[in-house]
Amino acid sequence: MTILVAVRGWKPDHWIHALQEAAPDRRIVLPGDAFDPTTVRYALVWKPEPGYLATFPNLEVIFSLGAGVDHLTTDPDLPDLPVVRIVDPDLTGRMTEWVVLNVLLHHRRHAHYAAAQAARAWQPLRQWAASAVRVGIMGLGELGRDATRALLSLGFKVGGWSRTGKQVDGVECFHGTEGLGPFLARTDILVSLLPLTAETENLIDRAVIDALAKDGPLGGPVILNAGRGRSLVEADLVDALSDGRVKGASLDVFASEPVPPDSPLWRAPNLFLTPHVAAESDPVALSRYVVGEIAAYEAGRPLRHLVDRGKGY
Ligand code: NDP
Ligand code: OXD
C-alpha cells in the first residue's frame, strides 16, 4: 500500500529518501506523481492544500509532520480520521535547545554585549544568578515539560501554565483562566509553547504583558514565543518593547510567515528573531518515528499521540 507525502513549503526529496530508507517495501508518492488515489492508506503532511486529503477514499491515518496541527485543523474538509502528531525526542530536544538558548541570551544580557562589542566598548553589567530569575512556561505538554527540566537543571525558578491541572516535579504549576493571573505575576521570562486554538489565539496581548512581574532582576519582563505566532498580539509586544514595559523578546513564530519586510518586528529593540526553526522536523528521525507508528498500528496496537479534534491539539 502507498504512503503519500504532501509537504507545502518544504523540499520533499529528503522526506522521500528518508522514508524509503525506513520503509523499503512501501510505495512513497508525492502529490504530482502518477498513482491511484485508492491505494493511499497513510498521508504524511505539512500544510496540505485544504480539501486535498478528502480526495483519498481509503486513507486510514493522517500524520502531521509537525508537533503543531493547526495546519490541519483549519481545513474544513479534513476527513474524520485519526490524526497523529509528532512526539519524538529529536524534535523535543531541538525545542529545548531554542528555549535554553533564548532564556540565556536575555538572562546573560547578550544584546547589550553584542552592541558593546560592535562599539569596542568594555561594559560589564551586574549578573544575577539563575536562581534569582523566574521563568514561566505556557504549555506544559511534550515540549513545555522538557524545557522545564532543562531550565530547572540550570537553576532557574520554573513555573508552568496549562489548560488542565498538572504536577511537575520542581515546577510551580498553574492552570486555566483562574491560574493565569498568579502565573504571570510570578514570571520574569515568559515562554509560550502553546498550540494555536480558538482559546490561545491572541492570548498574549497588552493585558497579559502588563500582568507579568515587574520586580524581577532583569528590570522588567522578557517574552519568548516558539508556539504559534497568532497566540501573540505582535503590535502589543512591539509597543511594550518600544516603551520599555518589556525588556526583551525572542520570537520564532509569527502571525504571518515569512515576516513581511516592512514589519516593525525587524527593528524592535532587544528582539531576537528566528525564522520558525526552533524545532525543525528532521526527515530521518521523523520518518523512523512514523514508520514505527505505522508498523505498530498494523500489528493491532492503538495509535499514539492522537490529536483531539475537539480541543484542537
Ligand atoms: P502538547 O499538545 O503536548 O502540549 C500543549 C500544552 O498546551 C498542554 O500543556 C496544554 O494543556 C496547553 N494548552 C493548550 N491550550 C491551552 C489553553 N487554552 N490554556 C492553557 N494551556 C493550554 O504540544 P507540544 O508541547 O508537543 O507542542 C506545543 C506547540 O509547539 C505545538 O502545538 C506547535 O504550535 C509548537 N511547535 C513549534 C515548533 C517550532 O519550531 N517553533 C516546533 C514544534 C511545535 P493541557 O496539558 O492541560 O492539555
Ligand atoms: C511544528 C512546527 O509544529 O515545526 O512541529 O512548528
Side-chain angles (χ1 to χ4, degrees):
M1 78 284 311
T2 304
I3 300 179
L4 169 75
V5 179
V7 289
R8 225 169 5 131
W10 294 352
K11 291 205 180 76
D13 327 19
H14 297 310
W15 287 98
I16 297 291
H17 184 73
L19 270 167
Q20 208 68 81
E21 291 252 302
D25 52 333
R26 310 268 177 170
R27 179 160 186 230
I28 319 283
V29 297
L30 292 171
D33 294 345
F35 62 92
D36 174 0
T38 63
T39 60
V40 172
R41 278 177 64 190
Y42 307 106
L44 279 55
V45 296
W46 179 250
K47 300 185 180 173
E49 291 289 348
Y52 182 59
L53 293 173
T55 63
F56 299 96
N58 297 321
L59 190 60
E60 287 180 35
V61 186
I62 300 167
F63 290 88
S64 164
L65 288 180
V69 292
D70 45 297
H71 65 107
L72 287 171
T73 50
T74 44
D75 179 351
D77 298 317
L78 187 68
D80 188 15
L81 294 172
V83 176
V84 174
R85 68 189 195 94
I86 297 291
V87 176
D88 185 79
D90 180 90
L91 185 141
T92 304
R94 288 166 191 251
M95 180 58 84
T96 296
E97 286 177 8
W98 186 93
V99 171
V100 169
L101 169 70
N102 284 280
V103 165
L104 290 178
L105 283 179
H106 295 283
H107 170 60
R108 300 304 302 247
R109 322 273 194 108
H110 193 68
H112 166 82
Y113 292 120
Q117 182 179 350
R120 301 183 186 203
W122 187 265
Q123 290 175 340
L125 295 177
R126 175 158 188 200
Q127 182 58 52
W128 298 85
S131 57
V133 177
R134 298 161 294 182
V135 182
I137 312 267
M138 297 180 110
L140 282 175
E142 298 294 335
L143 303 182
R145 284 197 310 275
D146 197 65
T148 64
R149 182 195 50 72
L151 292 166
L152 283 170
S153 76
L154 289 171
F156 289 99
K157 284 198 177 75
V158 183
W161 182 69
S162 48
R163 198 177 55 82
T164 56
K166 297 270 170 296
Q167 279 193 332
V168 183
D169 276 353
V171 177
E172 204 183 347
C173 292
F174 302 84
H175 68 278
T177 38
E178 67 291 352
L180 183 59
F183 164 76
L184 297 170
R186 55 76 60 210
T187 294
D188 301 314
I189 301 181
L190 181 73
V191 182
S192 176
L193 292 174
L194 288 170
L196 181 65
T197 67
E199 287 175 16
T200 63
E201 184 158 16
N202 294 327
L203 178 73
I204 308 169
D205 61 1
R206 188 184 170 108
V208 163
I209 291 171
D210 287 344
L212 287 162
K214 297 175 190 66
D215 58 351
L218 305 177
V222 166
I223 296 179
L224 276 51
N225 185 15
R228 281 291 180 263
R230 279 165 48 202
S231 293
L232 169 74
V233 181
E234 290 171 351
D236 289 355
L237 176 65
V238 171
D239 284 350
L241 283 165
S242 304
D243 65 23
R245 279 177 294 125
V246 167
K247 292 294 166 198
S250 295
L251 304 182
D252 182 64
V253 288
F254 303 89
S256 175
E257 297 181 6
V259 174
D262 60 350
S263 167
L265 289 170
W266 292 110
R267 300 180 315 278
N270 283 337
L271 172 64
F272 294 97
L273 187 157
T274 48
H276 201 146
V277 292
E280 273 189 340
S281 292
D282 176 66
V284 173
L286 302 191
S287 293
R288 284 194 196 123
Y289 162 80
V290 171
V291 169
E293 296 302 306
I294 290 175
Y297 168 72
E298 290 181 349
R301 293 201 282 281
L303 288 165
R304 301 182 303 157
H305 313 310
L306 285 169
V307 173
D308 180 328
R309 305 270 284 259
K311 288 193 300 189
Y313 65 96

